[in-house]
């Protein structure tokens, strides 16, 4: 018996109006169906937006500390259910259990941060230029937020967006990726159980071309927060411009780790293994390029290939698995395609490169962790986001050269430098073009209370995480109160 899931609109679980559904399968074993989910369309989105708009008129009046109390309960409930949600997430999208536990933890951290922000949401008071006049600026909620999220962090990323949105007094229409609808349903269930009023969060399952597009172009949706590919982000930005929505885009990356000749090589090795092959390379923060100083190039490459070839592929629920499957067939094809491109471009395939075989792997979308050496900066495998377990290795001859190579990309999300030289570290912090720079840390592992986002074509200037995301989900209102009892004209009566 296959479980059938529903949308959540105005606090009620409902089918899509068309009654159509889509299937969700386990990427480690495609014979296992996780469930059937509504294949929704524009009419379902319209109902969700009506619900969110009506809820907004009440929710915006709830004091922010009281909204924060609900966030705290959400954090408590997620903590209680952490293990269960992590297991279900691994079954749904494949990454290994230690990582899905981390994903849930990131959601818990975000909930507790939001809870405390309910007692901050600081504004500013400033002196007026006129006597007996008071000036302040406060943050106000904006309205209905469209939340469109990817499958690689099926719990954490929706919480990065929805918790600050809701804490700030907005309401949400949430469209999760079609590969991870179950985790999204669990998250929304937890949010409702914690006491959110009906309509504050609405969940609409379905494709980006149907549901996503309907949200983006809807005249009564005020803002969009999207994480996904740069291609989709660019189109989304155009589609949203007709209604002049505020849009936050978190897009692609081609993140590099630079290893200098003075680095602790064992540490740098652990870093790149985790950065490149954690989440099977499917993070926007994944290490996709490794830039090695020429003096340690051969030695480090040898160490890396030896360790990478021993990484254990497997169902993420098994305790010995280190690398799970790729999310789906088309992403695995995409990875295979880049392997072909790399070979054709003349890079040297030194590890992996194939679809994984083996009895326990044969029904999943597994792919060997793959390394190319002798990669040149202009090759497609050095410039395009692959979003799979493929690492391109380049050579540099100095810190400056390493940073120039690192910056040679249209993206700018995460970056990493391994060195023991403090002067080099600070020069790199100054000159690397990225939203996140790690020193002696891999390119992955951002913490929930820090700004998260990138420069160049990784985004459009907004940040998620910490205090910075609240700038996106609130509008500034400037307030003047004159208690002089007479008309005082700014810029005129005082000069
Ligand atoms: C993503 O890849 O989209 O920094 C998010 C990290 C995680 C978040 C990644 N905390 O790798």
């Amino acid at each position: 018996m296959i479980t059938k899931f529903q949308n959540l609109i105005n606090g009620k679980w409902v089918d899509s109006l068309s009654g159509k559904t889509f299937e969700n399968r386990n990427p480690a074993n495609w014979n296992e169906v996780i469930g059937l989910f509504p294949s929704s369309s524009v009419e379902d989105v319209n109902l969700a937006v009506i619900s969110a708009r009506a809820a907004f008129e009440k929710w915006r009046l709830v004091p922010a500390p009281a909204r924060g109390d609900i966030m705290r309960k959400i954090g408590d409930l997620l903590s209680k259910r952490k293990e269960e949600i992590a297991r279900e997430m691994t079954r749904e999208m494949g990454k290994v259990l230690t990582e899905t536990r981390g994903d849930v933890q990131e959601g818990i951290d975000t909930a507790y941060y939001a809870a405390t922000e309910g007692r901050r949401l600081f504004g500013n008071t400033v002196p007026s230029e006129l006597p007996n006049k008071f000036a302040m600026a406060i943050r106000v909620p904006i309205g209905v937020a469209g939340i469109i999220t990817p499958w690689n962090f099926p719990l954490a990323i929706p919480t990065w967006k929805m918790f600050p949105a809701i804490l700030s007094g907005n309401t949400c229409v949430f469209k999760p990726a079609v590969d991870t609808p179950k985790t999204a349903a669990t998250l929304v269930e937890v949010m409702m159980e914690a006491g959110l009023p009906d309509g504050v969060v609405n969940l609409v399952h379905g494709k980006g071309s149907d549901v996503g597009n309907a949200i983006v172009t809807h005249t009564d949706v005020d803002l969009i927060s999207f994480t996904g590919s740069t291609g989709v982000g660019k189109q989304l930005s155009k589609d949203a411009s007709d209604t002049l929505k505020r849009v936050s885009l978190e897009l692609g990356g081609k993140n590099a780790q630079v290893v200098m000749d003075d680095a602790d090589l064992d540490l740098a090795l652990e870093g790149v293994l985790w950065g490149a092959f954690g989440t099977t390379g499917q993070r926007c923060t994944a290490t996709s390029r490794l830039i090695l100083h020429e003096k340690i190039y051969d030695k480090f490459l040898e160490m890396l290939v030896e360790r990478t070839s021993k990484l254990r592929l497997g169902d993420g629920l098994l305790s010995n698995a280190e690398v799970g499957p790729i999310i789906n067939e088309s992403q695995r094809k995409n990875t295979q395609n880049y392997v072909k491109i790399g070979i054709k471009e003349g890079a040297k395939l030194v590890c992996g490169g194939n679809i994984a075989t083996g009895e326990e792997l044969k029904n999943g979308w597994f792919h060997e962790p793959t390394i190319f050496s002798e990669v040149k900066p202009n090759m497609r495998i050095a410039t395009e986001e692959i979003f799979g377990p493929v690492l391109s290795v380049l050579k540099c001859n100095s810190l400056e050269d390493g940073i120039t190579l690192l910056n040679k990309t249209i993206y700018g999300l995460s970056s990493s430098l391994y060195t023991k030289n403090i002067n080099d570290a600070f020069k790199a912090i100054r000159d690397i073009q990225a939203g996140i720079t790690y020193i002696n840390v891999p390119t992955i592992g951002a913490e929930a209370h820090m700004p998260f986002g990138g420069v160049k074509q990784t985004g459009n200037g907004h940040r998620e995480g910490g205090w910075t995301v609240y700038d996106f989900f609130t509008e500034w209102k400037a307030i003047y109160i004159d208690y002089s009892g007479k008309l005082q004209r700014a810029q005129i009566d005082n000069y």
Side-chain angles (χ1 to χ4, degrees):
M1 180 61 189
I2 298 175
T3 317
K4 209 172 146 200
F5 291 80
Q6 294 177 303
N7 290 331
L8 183 80
I9 295 179
N10 201 22
K12 296 193 181 49
W13 293 98
V14 292
D15 291 334
S16 66
L17 288 174
S18 71
K20 285 191 195 144
T21 58
F22 67 91
E23 236 178 36
N24 176 25
R25 288 172 182 259
N26 179 348
N29 175 10
W30 55 59
N31 295 321
E32 192 181 314
V33 180
I34 310 276
L36 286 178
F37 292 82
S39 194
S40 314
S41 58
V42 60
E43 288 77 24
D44 302 292
V45 170
N46 289 342
L47 293 178
V49 175
I50 290 170
S51 151
R53 175 61 56 191
F56 173 66
E57 288 310 327
K58 295 186 190 148
W59 184 242
R60 71 186 179 88
L61 302 177
V62 174
R67 294 183 214 132
D69 289 341
I70 298 180
M71 287 296 149
R72 189 172 307 102
K73 280 188 203 136
I74 295 174
D76 292 345
L77 289 170
L78 287 174
S79 303
K80 247 189 236 154
R81 294 179 63 181
K82 180 173 169 180
E83 186 62 19
E84 168 220 329
I85 297 173
R87 285 183 175 276
E88 285 298 299
M89 196 193 301
T90 292
R91 209 163 73 91
E92 178 167 56
M93 59 71 70
K95 65 185 173 186
V96 298
L97 199 48
T98 40
E99 293 191 37
T100 49
R101 286 184 188 126
D103 193 316
V104 182
Q105 189 56 47
E106 212 161 326
I108 296 167
D109 298 343
T110 303
Y112 289 141
Y113 190 98
T116 62
E117 193 58 35
R119 290 188 182 269
R120 275 190 303 265
L121 275 187
F122 291 141
N124 297 74
T125 57
V126 297
S128 163
E129 63 187 51
L130 288 156
N132 300 322
K133 191 176 168 193
F134 188 87
M136 64 183 166
I138 60 169
R139 291 176 184 277
V140 292
I142 301 174
V144 176
I147 307 290
I148 305 177
T149 58
W151 45 263
N152 65 336
F153 277 79
L155 189 110
I157 291 179
T159 69
W160 290 1
K161 300 177 187 304
M162 287 201 285
F163 293 177
I166 290 173
L167 186 280
S168 302
N170 306 289
T171 56
C172 293
V173 176
F174 171 30
K175 188 214 98 66
V178 287
D179 287 295
T180 49
K182 169 103 195 284
T183 306
T186 307
L187 172 61
V188 166
E189 182 191 300
V190 164
M191 290 166 75
M192 294 306 289
E193 193 186 331
L196 276 184
D198 291 350
V200 171
V201 60
N202 301 274
L203 171 67
V204 187
H205 292 287
K207 285 195 216 140
S209 49
D210 303 328
V211 179
N213 192 258
I215 295 172
V216 169
T217 54
H218 203 294
T219 50
D220 211 22
V221 172
D222 303 286
L223 60 166
I224 299 286
S225 182
F226 169 78
T227 297
S229 72
T230 294
V232 173
K234 283 182 184 173
Q235 187 57 46
L236 187 157
S237 180
K238 285 180 199 150
D239 295 342
S241 68
D242 269 348
T243 44
L244 287 180
K245 285 182 181 54
R246 182 184 287 213
V247 176
S248 170
L249 301 172
E250 197 53 65
L251 309 174
K254 190 71 187 173
N255 317 293
Q257 173 178 322
V258 178
V259 183
M260 293 300 291
D261 52 342
D262 65 1
D264 176 336
L265 296 189
D266 294 317
L267 185 68
L269 179 62
E270 295 308 323
V272 68
L273 286 167
W274 176 226
F277 303 118
T279 321
T280 321
Q282 304 168 111
R283 294 196 192 206
C284 22
T285 52
T287 310
S288 187
R289 294 177 296 152
L290 175 67
I291 301 169
L292 298 175
H293 192 278
E294 60 188 5
K295 286 196 189 141
I296 50 99
Y297 186 94
D298 292 332
K299 181 176 175 202
F300 193 85
L301 188 61
E302 195 182 313
M303 288 161 68
L304 176 64
V305 169
E306 133 117 58
R307 280 289 297 280
T308 305
S309 58
K310 289 195 185 126
L311 288 173
R312 280 184 307 269
L313 287 165
D315 182 333
L317 288 171
L318 301 173
S319 59
N320 63 355
E322 292 173 299
V323 181
I326 287 179
I327 187 73
N328 57 33
E329 183 174 18
S330 98
Q331 282 297 118
R332 188 166 76 171
K333 272 197 188 138
N334 183 57
T335 299
Q336 273 286 284
N337 193 33
Y338 273 105
V339 172
K340 283 192 202 123
I341 291 170
I343 294 169
K344 212 165 143 206
E345 287 179 313
K348 192 167 161 199
L349 181 64
V350 287
C351 187
N354 302 304
I355 286 175
T357 49
E359 196 42 36
E360 316 83 68
L361 307 179
K362 70 176 197 302
N363 294 328
W365 305 116
F366 292 93
H367 192 282
E368 293 173 350
T370 298
I371 302 173
F372 279 103
S373 69
E374 291 172 38
V375 175
K376 299 285 170 291
N378 290 326
M379 290 181 177
R380 288 181 62 190
I381 58 165
T383 54
E384 296 176 17
E385 182 173 49
I386 299 176
F387 226 72
V390 180
L391 178 68
S392 299
V393 185
L394 297 97
K395 194 181 279 183
C396 69
N397 53 33
S398 65
L399 178 75
E400 289 67 29
D401 188 32
I403 294 174
T404 303
L405 283 173
L406 182 147
N407 286 341
K408 208 174 160 357
T409 164
I410 58 165
Y411 301 111
L413 181 55
S414 188
S415 55
S416 154
L417 172 72
Y418 279 76
T419 179
K420 285 187 190 143
N421 183 321
I422 187 79
N423 296 347
D424 281 357
F426 271 90
K427 277 184 204 147
I429 291 168
R430 185 192 60 199
D431 294 337
I432 285 176
Q433 298 158 355
I436 309 170
T437 293
Y438 292 98
I439 304 295
N440 295 326
V441 186
T443 61
I444 68 175
E447 300 180 21
H449 57 291
M450 286 279 282
F452 183 92
V455 302
K456 301 197 269 185
Q457 293 193 29
T458 286
N460 59 348
H462 295 290
R463 288 291 178 273
E464 311 206 86
W467 64 97
T468 44
V469 68
Y470 291 87
D471 288 333
F472 179 73
F473 284 112
T474 55
E475 197 89 77
W476 282 106
K477 177 178 266 188
I479 298 158
Y480 302 92
I481 304 153
D482 190 317
Y483 54 99
S484 69
K486 57 182 186 217
L487 172 67
Q488 301 196 86
R489 295 171 302 176
Q491 295 98 32
I492 296 170
D493 291 335
N494 44 340
Y495 286 102

